[in-house]
Amino acid sequence: MEIGERIIGVIGGMGPEATLDLFYKILKNTKAEKDQDHIHLIIDNYPQIPDRTMYLLGKGENPLPYILKSAKNLEMLGVSAICMPCNTAHYFVNEIKKEIKVPFLSIVDSVIEEIKENYKNIKNVGLIATEGTIIGKVYETPIKKEGLNIIIRKDLINDVMKIIYSIKGGKIKENIDLFNKIVEEYINSGSQVIIAGCTEIPLLFPYIEIKVPIIDSTLCLAKKVIKFAKGINKEP
């Protein structure tokens, strides 16, 4: 397959608006003068995938079989790599990689790469994410491997989950004040940079005042997808 023929498969629907946000960010960050310069994407918008956090809390159905079904469907369509704009679902990343034959472009890896490249002098990384992402140590383990201190305000998790599910329900601006308060608490706890470790959270960014750098995990993944699709990175 030629470099220009690289097709990216997206396991989407977790949630649908976060999937749309990834598509938009891939579109806007691709250098293109005409339609044909853009990336060939196949998006499987599959919102019936069971709630990832509920499963990790022992309260819901295992989403992994659904995720693997989507991944294998994308493989059958001839994709060159697969990505997934859902941070919590990356709890299953090792199982996914075992079951697919194409590279998996990890949102977590893309965030770690962003930190290593652009925040070399920081020590304390705040993480705002779902309870499932925190329970599964989706970010905690790789961040600690980089010798960084991760700050997680578990006392704020109920408010974070309230915001995330509210955004999934189509409400964005209604969550601005509460999210700003959460960010302020993270800053007070010593966070030098904060990871928006849920793909719903960046949907708030156009409306909030950013006082410390907040890493948009969706944007990081979009850039990784572009690099792979354009042949800038041969492997993820």
Side-chain angles (χ1 to χ4, degrees):
M1 180 178 289
E2 296 297 327
I3 293 299
E5 297 177 351
R6 283 184 171 179
I7 304 168
I8 307 299
V10 180
I11 303 173
M14 301 181 284
E17 195 153 4
T19 302
L20 180 62
D21 190 39
L22 175 67
F23 184 21
Y24 182 79
K25 285 168 179 169
I26 292 172
L27 179 71
K28 288 299 181 181
N29 286 277
T30 301
K31 293 181 180 179
E33 295 180 359
K34 57 186 184 299
D35 291 348
Q36 291 76 20
D37 294 333
H38 283 284
I39 291 165
H40 188 167
L41 294 174
I42 300 177
I43 300 172
D44 182 9
N45 190 54
Y46 192 11
Q48 287 71 36
I49 297 173
D51 189 294
R52 286 64 61 197
T53 292
M54 287 297 102
Y55 172 72
L56 291 173
L57 290 172
K59 300 178 181 179
E61 186 181 357
N62 187 353
L64 181 59
Y66 295 78
I67 294 169
L68 292 178
K69 178 183 176 182
S70 179
K72 291 182 178 182
N73 284 341
L74 290 167
E75 273 195 313
M76 286 192 294
L77 291 171
V79 301
S80 312
I82 290 173
C83 70
M84 183 168 62
C86 173
N87 288 274
T88 311
H90 279 65
Y91 174 80
F92 303 101
V93 69
N94 290 331
E95 289 92 337
I96 296 168
K97 287 180 177 179
K98 288 177 185 176
E99 296 293 330
I100 62 176
K101 298 180 177 65
V102 298
F104 181 85
L105 308 178
S106 163
I107 197 169
V108 176
D109 289 349
S110 69
V111 169
I112 299 299
E113 289 162 11
E114 173 74 10
I115 292 172
K116 290 170 70 174
E117 184 175 343
N118 295 311
Y119 301 98
K120 295 178 181 178
N121 296 321
I122 63 101
K123 187 66 179 176
N124 299 318
V125 180
L127 174 65
I128 301 177
T130 67
E131 192 170 3
T133 296
I134 292 168
I135 290 171
K137 297 185 176 181
V138 172
Y139 277 99
E140 184 175 351
T141 299
I143 285 174
K144 286 185 175 179
K145 282 183 180 178
E146 296 298 328
L148 298 170
N149 178 42
I150 187 166
I151 296 172
I152 300 171
R153 290 290 301 268
K154 293 183 180 180
D155 58 313
L156 300 173
I157 190 62
N158 288 338
D159 286 338
V160 173
M161 294 303 295
K162 179 181 176 182
I163 289 172
I164 290 167
Y165 284 120
S166 179
I167 293 173
K168 286 178 180 290
K171 298 177 181 177
I172 297 177
K173 293 182 180 180
E174 294 88 340
N175 293 288
I176 295 169
D177 290 342
L178 181 56
F179 185 74
N180 280 331
K181 290 177 183 177
I182 291 170
V183 170
E184 197 69 39
E185 290 290 340
Y186 268 83
I187 293 171
N188 292 339
S189 298
S191 299
Q192 297 167 286
V193 63
I194 297 171
I195 299 170
C198 173
T199 47
E200 268 72 38
I201 292 174
L203 298 172
L204 287 166
F205 285 6
Y207 311 103
I208 63 172
E209 180 183 353
I210 298 177
K211 296 180 180 178
V212 298
I214 303 182
I215 296 175
D216 180 342
S217 57
T218 307
L219 179 58
C220 291
L221 179 59
K223 290 178 179 178
K224 191 175 186 70
V225 165
I226 293 164
K227 286 180 180 179
F228 182 86
K230 295 294 185 180
I232 299 170
N233 287 350
K234 292 184 179 180
E235 295 295 334

